[in-house]
Amino acid sequence: KVLNVVVAFLFSFVCFAQTMTVSTAGNHNDPYWLIENVLVDSNFTVYKPILPNGTFLNQPSTNHAGFFQVNNNTGINAFPINKGIVMCTDNVTDVLPNVTGGKTPVLNNPKDASLAGVWAQTGTPITTNMYDFVEIQFAFTASSDSIRFNYIFSSGEYDNYTCSGFNDVFGFFITGSGINGNTASSTVNLATIPNTSVPV
């Protein structure tokens, strides 16, 4: 089986750790290279997603995706992931402490349907505009009967706009047959609070 995964979110990802470096140099800003060489291990075979018209999805290099690494990552305040892919709706260097991009919001039209579904679960009216969207898509086969991804979602606007009409949302969507026992092809958001269907 080939499964498709889409990682997508709106607004900001902000994290703080002992010493973090973020790179978009070389292949570190190529979404497909990051998936194949950073996100997955040897138990996965990764493919470029095929579009309905039979062509491969083109995901150009972007400063909205990069490679991060945390050094001196020990002790009680250790960051829970040592290295991986970082995605940000502004330049990924904005996730570093004391860096602010101050970008002008970009309207996403049309809206991403899967992410809009998560957004609706937050109580955001479906007519509300969706701004600042970033995603990476890939298809894969796995050599085992289960998979696991570690992720962190963070928002630079969380404390300012909680319970307002502005909601930052994140989705980690997997599409394919056999997910959760469903023999038909379906899409599931992996980014939920454990043991619930509540999106993060």
Side-chain angles (χ1 to χ4, degrees):
K1 293 176 186 172
V2 176
L3 301 175
N4 290 310
V5 173
V6 178
V7 183
F9 66 93
L10 294 173
F11 298 107
S12 305
F13 177 104
V14 178
C15 53
F16 300 91
Q18 285 78 5
T19 304
M20 177 178 285
T21 57
V22 173
S23 171
T24 57
N27 290 322
H28 288 169
N29 65 358
D30 180 335
Y32 186 72
W33 186 93
L34 287 166
I35 294 298
E36 193 170 35
N37 295 279
V38 178
L39 183 68
V40 303
D41 61 23
S42 59
N43 293 312
F44 290 80
T45 302
V46 178
Y47 308 92
K48 291 183 179 179
I50 299 176
L51 298 172
N53 65 7
T55 63
F56 289 108
L57 174 68
N58 180 29
Q59 295 182 97
S61 296
T62 174
N63 287 331
H64 297 293
F67 173 76
F68 81 88
Q69 186 164 349
V70 180
N71 304 309
N72 304 319
N73 200 24
T74 60
I76 192 169
N77 294 318
F79 196 68
I81 301 175
N82 288 327
K83 62 182 178 179
I85 298 173
V86 60
M87 297 168 61
C88 184
T89 57
D90 204 348
N91 190 300
V92 292
T93 57
D94 276 9
V95 304
L96 296 170
N98 303 316
V99 176
T100 57
K103 69 185 271 293
T104 301
V106 176
L107 178 64
N108 301 111
N109 192 15
K111 298 175 184 175
D112 177 87
S114 296
L115 197 58
V118 174
W119 209 22
Q121 287 181 270
T122 69
T124 302
I126 200 67
T127 55
T128 302
N129 288 330
M130 182 180 284
Y131 292 89
D132 298 336
F133 169 77
V134 61
E135 73 175 352
I136 293 178
Q137 295 187 39
F138 63 100
F140 71 91
T141 58
S143 60
S144 61
D145 63 356
S146 61
I147 59 171
R148 182 173 65 185
F149 295 96
N150 294 321
Y151 69 88
I152 294 173
F153 170 67
S154 180
S155 166
E157 298 176 334
Y158 172 74
D159 55 348
N160 295 322
Y161 293 102
T162 302
C163 299
S164 76
F166 300 97
N167 290 294
D168 295 356
V169 293
F170 169 80
F172 200 126
F173 305 103
I174 185 167
T175 301
S177 59
I179 299 172
N180 290 344
N182 185 355
T183 56
S185 182
S186 60
T187 298
V188 174
N189 181 16
L190 302 178
T192 57
I193 296 171
N195 302 315
T196 76
S197 60
V198 178
V200 297

